[in-house]
């Protein structure tokens, strides 16, 4: 249960090996009230061991979960819910090679399942549990990519749009006190997901995302951008005429390396 000082005790991470998720967990652990972290993902053994070695006073467990195996995700979450969670992080994601994703239906569908459908199932199951327990915070890691389609990452972005749209609607449907949804839209973040790409202006670290999550977890706006000034950059880019927007792109189609690479 989140205590009176906003300290979190039990966390479920969907996308358990995500570098951003680990930074968030580390930030939540700063208040020293963290009791249990369950890392859900495909192959969690080494991830669980390394988190245990960093947080000896926290009960770190693994939950086997493949987000492409839709139809079984809710049952897996329900079975592992135990005494409940204060916070569920949806931090899974896959950034496919855009060119392959445009040509190979299997690559496109895999991205859609991980970035949207699988996390929709996980998030919907978590919300049912939150309603039963009468409390909980769902943190959804979206992306500034949702703000405008880009020629070099629109397959990735299309899944993110679905998840973001769902989460924003959900945030408006709850009272925002006992049950809260926090939607986080980072620009480019230095993790293994983006390491092979040229660094864009306003690229940030996982710890920046983590600080924004911790700051807004129990109160504040239900949608945040990281860094926060990206909100205004994207608000401007969103309204540029399409021919201009396309010309700003590194591929001649969109503003990635020049503005704020919205992964
Ligand atoms: N890095 C960026 O520039 C950036 C920018 C904006 C938003 N984001 C978003 O931030 C979130 C975290 O990304 P990150 O940067 O921390 O990257 P990351 O370290 O690569 O994390 C991605 C996570 O997704 C998991 N995943 C992929 N396919 C899965 C599947 N089929 N089933 C279950 N889990 C699966 C990965 O697990 P495996 O270890 O099994 O692959 C990993 O835990 C993602 O939603 C990403 O889209 C990232």
């Amino acid at each position: 249960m989140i205590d009176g000082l906003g300290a979190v005790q039990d966390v479920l991470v969907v996308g358990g090996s995500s570098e951003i998720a680990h930074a968030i967990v580390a930030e939540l652990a700063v208040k020293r009230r963290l009791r249990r972290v369950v890392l859900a993902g495909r192959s969690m053994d080494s991830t669980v061991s390394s988190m245990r070695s960093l947080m000896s006073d926290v009960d770190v467990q693994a939950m086997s979960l493949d987000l492409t195996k839709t139809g079984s995700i809710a049952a897996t979450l329900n079975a592992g819910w135990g005494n409940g969670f204060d916070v569920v992080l949806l931090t899974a994601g896959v950034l496919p090679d855009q060119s392959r994703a445009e040509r190979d239906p299997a690559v496109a569908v895999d991205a859609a399942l991980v970035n949207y459908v699988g996390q929709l199932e996980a998030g919907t199951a978590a919300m049912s549990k939150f309603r039963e327990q009468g409390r909980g915070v769902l943190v959804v890691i979206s992306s500034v990519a949702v703000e405008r389609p880009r020629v070099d990452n629109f397959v990735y972005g299309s899944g993110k749009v679905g998840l973001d749209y769902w989460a924003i609607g959900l945030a408006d449907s709850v009272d925002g006190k006992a049950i809260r949804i926090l939607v986080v839209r980072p620009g480019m973040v230095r993790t293994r997901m983006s390491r092979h790409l040229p660094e864009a202006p306003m690229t940030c670290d996982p710890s920046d995302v983590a600080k924004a999550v911790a700051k807004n977890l129990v109160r504040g706006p239900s949608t945040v951008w990281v860094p926060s000034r990206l909100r205004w950059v994207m608000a401007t880019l969103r309204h540029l005429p399409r021919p201009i927007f396309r010309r700003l792109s590194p591929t001649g189609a969109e503003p990635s390396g020049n503005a704020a690479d919205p992964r």
Side-chain angles (χ1 to χ4, degrees):
M1 185 164 169
I2 298 179
D3 69 16
L5 298 173
V8 173
Q9 297 184 323
D10 300 277
V11 180
L12 170 64
V13 184
V14 175
S17 64
S18 145
E19 292 184 30
I20 290 176
H22 286 222
I24 297 171
V25 170
E27 188 68 33
L28 296 180
V30 166
K31 290 190 175 168
R32 299 193 168 277
R33 295 296 308 279
L34 202 56
R35 221 166 36 184
R36 183 171 61 118
V37 177
V38 176
L39 301 175
R42 290 182 290 189
S43 179
M44 288 293 104
D45 288 354
S46 65
T47 309
V48 164
S49 307
S50 67
M51 189 175 279
R52 276 183 187 148
S53 64
L54 291 173
M55 299 178 186
S56 51
D57 50 342
V58 179
D59 176 16
V60 184
Q61 300 166 13
M63 178 189 287
S64 178
L65 187 76
D66 184 339
L67 290 164
T68 64
K69 306 277 189 270
T70 53
S72 64
I73 294 167
T76 303
L77 251 70
N78 290 341
W81 196 260
N83 291 329
F85 294 97
D86 311 314
V87 174
V88 173
L89 307 175
L90 296 187
T91 56
V94 60
L95 177 64
D97 176 81
Q98 173 64 28
S99 165
R100 280 191 64 213
E102 282 176 37
R103 288 163 182 77
D104 184 342
V107 174
V109 168
D110 183 78
L113 290 175
V114 176
N115 291 331
Y116 179 35
V117 185
Q119 294 192 92
L120 175 71
E121 185 174 342
T124 303
M127 283 301 294
S128 297
K129 288 292 187 185
F130 283 168
R131 288 188 193 100
E132 274 174 37
Q133 66 187 31
R135 62 183 170 80
V137 183
L138 182 69
V139 178
V140 180
I141 305 296
S142 174
S143 164
V144 290
V146 302
E147 308 228 16
R148 192 154 187 180
R150 290 176 23 182
V151 164
D152 64 342
N153 77 348
F154 63 82
V155 175
Y156 168 79
S158 68
K160 286 297 201 187
V161 166
L163 191 67
D164 186 284
Y165 189 101
W166 168 78
I168 298 278
L170 199 59
D172 288 341
S173 76
V174 296
D175 68 11
K177 292 184 186 119
I179 299 177
R180 177 169 164 81
I181 318 297
L182 177 62
V183 181
V184 184
R185 292 181 178 169
M188 194 174 198
V189 188
R190 293 181 193 95
T191 68
R192 61 184 166 143
M193 179 179 278
S194 59
R195 207 156 281 145
H196 60 293
L197 299 165
E199 195 162 291
M202 286 186 265
T203 295
C204 65
D205 289 311
S207 57
D208 297 311
V209 181
K211 286 190 178 74
V213 169
K215 183 177 170 202
N216 295 285
L217 197 65
V218 291
R219 62 184 67 82
S222 60
T223 303
V224 295
W225 286 253
V226 186
S228 56
R229 60 189 186 280
L230 259 184
R231 174 181 191 169
W232 309 112
V233 173
M234 295 312 298
T236 307
L237 292 177
R238 200 167 48 233
H239 294 103
L240 284 180
R242 268 172 80 181
I244 297 173
F245 188 70
R246 277 200 296 270
R247 272 204 302 278
L248 290 172
S249 160
T251 57
E254 193 263 341
S256 165
N258 298 327
D261 190 333
R263 286 296 127 199

